[in-house]
Amino acid sequence: MQPLKKTYKPVYLDYVYEELLIFKDLEELPPAFHAVVKANLAFKTKLENFKQFIDCLSGDRCFSLWIWETEQLLQKSGDCLRDFAHDEITEQQFVEEHIALADRMLELANARVYEGHWEYGGSREADRQFHDLTELCRRIWTKESKAWITLAKVWKNCNPMAI
């Protein structure tokens, strides 16, 4: 059997070592830790692609707020991973924190309806274009919010007793 360390991809190790500043033996950490790291990395890629697409589309302020809130949740998850790896919090605290983060992430994904922030009241043609952009963004969010839900599910299921 190969040591666990050698099976990690460079991106995983870069994230753990450079972003989270964790230098301990990764084999010591429970599967829940690795599941959260992998989910966070996959989601970060998806979020960056989403941000670039939205910037090209409209720079819409409503999506910008969601992105900012999402990035704050990812930062809290990263802080929690770091604290757990450095034995500053217990495994139970790690689990409880990620369950709370998952609830907030699900709220961002499910409990909001995209409303748009374009100004109406110009010409009929401009109003129609703004309406079409709003509808396009609603459809985009319906599709993209699945990534938010997937991450929330991983966070919610990080309980090592369930793994």
Side-chain angles (χ1 to χ4, degrees):
M1 180 177 203
Q2 266 189 332
L4 197 55
K5 233 185 250 185
K6 292 184 181 181
T7 63
Y8 291 133
K9 293 181 180 177
V11 174
Y12 184 93
L13 293 175
D14 289 347
Y15 178 71
V16 170
Y17 294 144
E18 294 174 16
E19 283 194 49
L20 298 179
L21 303 174
I22 298 170
F23 301 107
K24 72 188 309 181
D25 185 7
L26 296 179
E27 293 174 352
E28 295 174 7
L29 297 167
F33 175 89
H34 300 290
V36 170
V37 169
K38 289 175 185 173
N40 286 6
L41 279 172
F43 183 80
K44 280 179 166 236
T45 301
K46 184 72 172 171
L47 181 62
E48 283 306 313
N49 293 340
F50 179 68
K51 284 167 53 175
Q52 289 176 10
F53 179 67
I54 293 305
D55 284 347
C56 291
L57 177 68
S58 67
D60 182 64
R61 293 179 307 200
C62 190
F63 279 132
S64 296
L65 177 62
W66 283 343
I67 289 167
W68 179 83
E69 289 180 276
T70 299
E71 288 173 334
Q72 294 300 305
L73 293 175
L74 279 171
Q75 181 62 48
K76 287 180 183 178
S77 176
D79 293 345
C80 188
L81 285 163
R82 186 180 313 108
D83 291 346
F84 178 61
H86 290 276
D87 298 321
E88 295 175 13
I89 62 173
T90 66
E91 199 164 351
Q92 185 60 35
Q93 289 170 313
F94 172 80
V95 169
E96 289 171 1
E97 180 68 24
H98 276 91
I99 289 171
L101 291 172
D103 290 341
R104 181 69 181 128
M105 186 66 87
L106 286 170
E107 182 183 326
L108 286 176
N110 288 326
R112 296 192 179 190
V113 175
Y114 178 80
E115 295 298 337
H117 281 278
W118 288 285
E119 296 295 326
Y120 289 83
S123 68
R124 277 185 162 202
E125 183 178 326
D127 282 351
R128 184 71 208 154
Q129 288 173 342
F130 289 139
H131 175 76
D132 291 346
L133 281 172
T134 300
E135 184 57 31
L136 174 62
C137 285
R138 279 192 188 107
R139 290 178 184 182
I140 291 167
W141 181 247
T142 299
K143 178 180 174 283
E144 297 296 329
S145 65
K146 292 174 185 164
W148 273 250
I149 293 167
T150 299
L151 181 61
K153 286 179 180 176
V154 171
W155 283 352
K156 204 171 235 342
N157 293 326
C158 76
N159 187 342
M161 301 307 171
I163 292 177

